[in-house]
Amino acid sequence: MSNTPIISITTSTFAKFSTAPLDMLRDAGLHIRCNQLGRTLTEEEALQQLRGATGVIAGTEPLTRRVLTALPDLRVISRCGTGLDSVDLEAAQVCGIRVRTTPDAPTLAVAELTLGMMLDLLRHVSRMDREVRAGTWKKRMGSLLCGKRTGIIGMGRIGSTVARLCAAFGAHVAYADPSDARGTGFPRMALDDLLRWSEILTLHCPLPTRHGASGVFPAPLLGRRELELLPHGALVLNLARGGLIDEDALYDLLCTEALGGAGLDVYRQEPYAGRLRMLPNVILTPHCASYAREARIRMEIEAVRNLLNALAEYPHD
């Protein structure tokens, strides 16, 4: 076993719905080391989990410079997902570690949950469900997605899929994105113009960074100023990255009904325990947008395939 390459799997539910990803690793003659804690690993736990590993099927644990520089055997990080906010890409490059993601697999799962949240907020489904369970029989008047001005920030794979789904419901769709080379067929706007226009706003973009005295740091894309540009009663959704929205400003605007509702799947700190939990016009899910069975299986298989292909690119000793 000492000469058998070790592959560490840090995601807590890997292969829960299909053994195919594990079978692929075993068929390749690799030794598998799984996450036994059943949750996202801390920096120190990730360091211990990855010691001696040649490759990692990674979740969202912090793969920081400290972790990566302490792992001389590590050759490949294969993210089971799309986001790389938790990976120090500069450190990975310096260490000669190849990084791969699975951008296609979760696209439809995230897009469908986005659409579901929009419909839920528009028709007050979750709110009325809670009220009925509490003994209150109140019919709340909702709105249609058809005809709504729906703004999308980030027109990549997920954003463009959300755009097509919303358009199929008869929504008017526009977007903001630094790139305009995709030929989406939907109008592109400057960010502030999109905010002023959007009755529904949904985020599908990376977390921006800003430069300060202490270096580069993540910063909200939508702070109080940006949120106040939205029309009165607008709905806001974030199924992209925690920290994209100033959660305190969002709370304040929801309390005053300047905004009509919000749907969040990601948060600045997770697990989320903030004040938005107290508001009846907010839908909160636990960072599960990609958690559709079919998408999860495909994502895990793609992550393994990416890892095997990347390992094959290294010269044999």
Side-chain angles (χ1 to χ4, degrees), residues 100-267:
R100 301 290 185 268
T101 64
T102 58
D104 294 314
T107 295
L108 192 56
V110 178
E112 286 191 359
L113 183 59
T114 302
L115 183 67
M117 277 195 176
M118 286 183 189
L119 296 172
D120 190 324
L121 288 167
L122 287 165
R123 299 298 299 274
H124 311 295
V125 176
S126 291
R127 185 171 187 175
M128 288 188 291
D129 173 76
R130 291 190 295 267
E131 290 172 344
V132 169
R133 292 171 188 271
T136 299
W137 188 267
K138 182 176 182 177
K139 300 178 182 180
R140 292 188 175 274
M141 184 61 68
S143 298
L144 297 178
L145 178 55
C146 181
K148 288 292 183 296
R149 300 190 304 272
T150 304
I152 298 173
I153 301 180
M155 203 64 162
R157 292 175 177 85
I158 295 172
S160 59
T161 302
V162 171
R164 291 193 295 270
L165 292 175
C166 290
F169 274 72
H172 304 300
V173 178
Y175 72 97
D177 193 299
S179 173
D180 194 31
R182 302 181 190 277
T184 63
F186 298 101
R188 180 187 179 208
M189 294 184 179
L191 178 58
D192 281 4
D193 293 336
L194 185 76
L195 294 175
R196 294 187 183 97
W197 178 83
S198 298
E199 296 171 288
I200 302 173
L201 182 74
T202 179
L203 281 66
H204 302 286
C205 56
L207 186 65
T209 56
R210 296 178 183 172
H211 296 268
S214 59
V216 178
F217 58 94
L221 178 66
L222 301 184
R224 187 176 300 273
R225 184 195 77 85
E226 290 79 15
L227 290 171
E228 288 178 344
L229 293 177
L230 288 162
H232 184 84
L235 306 178
V236 179
L237 296 94
N238 182 15
L239 290 85
R241 300 287 184 273
L244 277 172
I245 300 177
D246 182 329
E247 293 168 1
D248 292 329
L250 179 63
Y251 175 86
D252 291 342
L253 293 171
L254 288 166
C255 284
T256 63
E257 298 185 354
L259 295 177
L264 304 177
D265 184 58
V266 289
Y267 313 88

